[in-house]
Amino acid sequence: MTGTLSGLSLDPRVVADLLSAPDAVRDRALTRLTELTTAVLPGGTSLPGELAGFRELPLGDGAPWGLVYAQRPAPPASVHRTEAHVVAVQPSGPHLHDTARARLGLTRPVSAMAHASRTSSPQLPAQQHLVLPPRPVSPARPGLPQPAPTLKGPSR
């Protein structure tokens, strides 16, 4: 290796991700991070949609884990021109992408099917709001002891 060509920055929650990962996955992640900072070309698969510009690196031999990162310009005070910014290290799949979106403050768009399931059908008649008349309140409930009657005698 001739030296570091790129800087590295981590979302603070990535440290917790790495600590909770199995040892083999953590070792592989650290190896891949080294490769990211010394390689000229970024590795991994480009992510679509609102995660465009981010890439996913596969990790782990037995369990499918992934690392989501973006190659971006380094801060002005850095000695590097670019940096790899890691957003998430988690088991691969939709949860990994959802975690990355949440950490970036992106909301996941609702699919057409999910949106349709949350709306009412146009074939159903409009529902009327039923207003029930108030029930009379009885002073005592059946089965409970009744209050003792007050006796009024002749006044003197």
Side-chain angles (χ1 to χ4, degrees):
M1 285 186 238
T2 60
T4 303
L5 301 174
S6 180
L8 178 67
S9 67
L10 305 173
D11 182 285
R13 296 163 283 200
V14 170
V15 175
D17 290 351
L18 289 170
L19 291 173
S20 66
D23 291 341
V25 172
R26 186 177 8 201
D27 292 342
R28 180 75 173 144
L30 295 175
T31 301
R32 295 305 298 257
L33 290 174
T34 303
E35 293 170 1
L36 277 179
T37 58
T38 57
V40 177
L41 296 174
T45 307
S46 295
L47 297 176
E50 63 276 0
L51 290 176
F54 286 85
R55 302 181 76 80
E56 180 181 349
L57 280 174
L59 302 173
D61 295 324
W65 280 64
L67 179 147
V68 174
Y69 78 99
Q71 198 75 27
R72 64 185 191 183
S78 176
V79 297
H80 308 288
R81 289 186 298 163
T82 62
E83 71 178 7
H85 179 68
V86 181
V87 178
V89 177
Q90 304 238 330
S92 291
H95 179 69
L96 173 62
H97 299 165
D98 290 343
T99 300
R101 278 186 204 91
R103 290 181 180 177
L104 293 167
L106 302 172
T107 57
R108 186 171 189 176
V110 177
S111 70
M113 187 174 286
H115 180 69
S117 69
R118 293 179 183 167
T119 59
S120 60
S121 172
Q123 285 83 19
L124 291 175
Q127 294 181 355
Q128 299 287 333
H129 293 289
L130 298 176
V131 179
L132 299 175
R135 292 192 296 168
V137 179
S138 61
R141 293 185 177 167
L144 295 178
Q146 300 292 327
T150 52
L151 299 175
K152 290 190 179 181
S155 305
R156 291 188 187 190

